[in-house]
Amino acid sequence: MKKYLYRPGKIKSSEITPEEVFVKRREFLAAAGLAIGATGSVFPTIANAAVPDFGEIAKWPKSTVEKQTPWDQATSYNNFYELGTDKGDPKKNARRLITEPWSVEIDGECNKPGTYTLEDILKPHALEERVYRLRCVEAWSMVIPWVGFSLGDLLKRFEPTGNAKYVRFETLLDKTRLPGQQYPVLKWPYTEGLRMDEAMHPLSLIAVGLYGKALPNQNGAPLRLVVPWKYGFKSIKSIVKISFVESQPDTSWNLSAPREYGFYSNVNPTVSHPRWSQAKERRLDGDSKGLAALFSDKQETLMFNGYGAEVAALYTDMDLSKNF
Ligand SMILES: Nc1nc2c(c(=O)[nH]1)N[C@H]1C(S)=C(S)[C@@H](COP(=O)(O)O)O[C@H]1N2
Ligand SMILES: [Mo]
């Protein structure tokens, strides 16, 4: 198994990131020349022509009413390793990711493969605002009003065949637009996957915005996945390829550390990460931020991130401690 230079959550005791990681991150930044002068704009891609006006958006009736993670925090505390490994890097480096033009390649076990422009992809779908919890494997969580539509509605359009058992997703591969890809932090391009029934589940979302605005680059413009009952890393950003496949696809995190990051990665407070418990989480709600927040109060993590009533039936025959 190939080993990569950096893994998040090199966390000694429960959730405090050790010095070692900060040093590695600093080296990474210095090597990439990313830390200097790259303030970036708060909202670099709002002018994306293919993204419809979000004026009239239906509100999803099942949205959580918990306190939302404020815009500033949701767009400045990010994991997007292709734009740097510190939480603040993706925003700083966001302008490097040029998202126009953008297209998505559809291939594999389906009747309508091809290269679709972003406009082709989005046009038929009515957008909806859905407020979801998203729980990161690093034990923090957010509540975000996403703008998007069901992934299943998109996938159906390509007429998957009976051989399509899984769906594989791929992020843009481009060392200029995603400069973090100059370093072997993970196996690039970032890839993720879902079992077909997970992908078709009505909660699985293609997000194109948050807070009524087009996705900022640091949040995965122009389109990304949001799978709210799974750890955040399953919610792959800046997707350029979707493949219908017969067997379980490789994923970047699983390749990087298979004992730590399983294919399923359902949020599960009873199954610890090998290096820390997953029983509790720190909610990013604007009251605290960054390092200070490491010491703020924790709340209980819910099975399937609180979406068990909807998704538990997908896993009835599985041992979730083995299929983590
Ligand atoms: N391509 C890509 N997608 C990614 C990541 C990444 O590094 N690269 N990080 C993942 C992780 S670990 C999390 S927690 C979420 C964070 O999404 P957010 O920054 O919009 O909150 O994005 C996920 N999608
Ligand atoms: Mo994450």
Side-chain angles (χ1 to χ4, degrees):
M1 186 56 60
K2 212 167 171 181
K3 287 284 172 220
Y4 296 96
L5 292 182
Y6 175 82
R7 296 190 311 221
K10 284 235 168 196
I11 295 175
K12 272 178 201 149
S13 65
S14 56
E15 54 283 309
I16 297 180
T17 312
E19 225 168 0
E20 182 198 341
V21 171
F22 285 115
V23 171
K24 282 227 172 89
R25 284 175 174 166
R26 242 184 273 121
E27 286 166 1
F28 171 83
L29 279 171
L34 293 180
I36 310 126
T39 48
S41 77
V42 176
F43 207 70
T45 55
I46 190 134
N48 192 326
V51 175
D53 185 285
F54 294 161
E56 294 288 313
I57 313 172
K59 306 258 189 228
W60 187 57
K62 293 197 267 182
S63 284
T64 176
V65 294
E66 289 152 282
K67 186 177 180 194
Q68 296 178 6
T69 302
W71 164 270
D72 280 345
Q73 197 171 30
T75 60
S76 67
Y77 190 90
N78 301 102
N79 273 341
F80 194 170
Y81 278 14
E82 295 92 326
L83 293 172
T85 54
D86 263 341
K87 303 293 181 242
D89 290 342
K91 179 179 170 180
K92 285 183 199 149
N93 301 313
R95 61 182 174 183
R96 299 288 292 270
L97 174 56
I98 292 157
T99 59
E100 291 174 73
W102 194 273
S103 58
V104 180
E105 192 185 339
I106 308 291
D107 72 2
E109 297 290 343
C110 68
N111 295 326
K112 296 192 166 169
T115 301
Y116 295 81
T117 66
L118 182 62
E119 208 167 0
D120 292 336
I121 292 280
L122 301 185
K123 215 180 232 165
H125 300 282
L127 298 175
E128 188 171 53
E129 180 177 277
R130 296 192 196 178
V131 188
Y132 279 171
R133 291 179 291 276
L134 190 65
R135 167 54 158 85
C136 180
V137 73
E138 294 169 285
W140 44 271
S141 63
M142 300 175 295
V143 174
I144 295 190
W146 300 105
V147 177
F149 54 90
S150 279
L151 171 65
D153 291 341
L154 174 67
L155 298 182
K156 275 180 222 153
R157 289 169 50 199
F158 311 119
E159 301 175 8
T161 71
N163 293 332
K165 306 287 189 231
Y166 295 86
V167 190
R168 180 183 180 275
F169 302 87
E170 205 173 292
T171 294
L172 174 72
L173 181 65
D174 185 323
K175 290 186 167 83
T176 306
R177 290 189 281 168
L178 293 173
Q181 289 173 347
Q182 292 166 55
Y183 307 93
V185 177
L186 283 173
K187 187 175 186 214
W188 311 121
Y190 194 104
T191 59
E192 258 308 336
L194 294 171
R195 208 171 58 191
M196 200 63 191
D197 58 345
E198 298 177 319
M200 299 308 291
H201 192 282
L203 283 179
S204 292
L205 189 75
I206 288 281
V208 296
L210 75 174
Y211 276 101
K213 295 172 181 167
L215 277 179
N217 287 351
Q218 60 268 36
N219 293 89
L223 82 168
R224 65 166 301 166
L225 215 57
V226 183
V227 190
W229 72 95
K230 292 180 179 285
Y231 291 118
F233 65 86
K234 299 294 288 184
S235 293
I236 183 174
K237 294 176 170 178
S238 305
I239 296 166
V240 292
K241 190 173 175 183
I242 301 176
S243 307
F244 296 98
V245 295
E246 217 172 332
S247 45
Q248 186 179 301
D250 284 344
T251 69
S252 289
W253 281 109
N254 185 248
L255 286 176
S256 163
R259 288 179 45 260
E260 301 181 19
Y261 310 106
F263 176 80
Y264 286 94
S265 288
N266 293 313
V267 174
N268 189 339
T270 70
V271 176
S272 296
H273 183 280
R275 291 178 284 129
W276 64 87
S277 164
Q278 294 289 21
K280 291 190 174 185
E281 68 199 58
R282 172 173 55 89
R283 178 61 54 82
L284 303 182
D285 59 7
D287 289 341
S288 51
K289 208 177 169 181
L291 284 180
L294 288 173
F295 306 101
S296 69
D297 286 345
K298 295 284 175 74
Q299 63 186 72
E300 304 287 320
T301 287
L302 302 174
M303 186 64 202
F304 298 116
N305 202 22
Y307 298 95
E310 286 93 339
V311 302
L314 296 172
Y315 309 104
T316 41
D317 298 330
M318 288 172 62
D319 178 344
L320 296 178
S321 61
K322 292 204 177 82
N323 297 286
F324 59 88

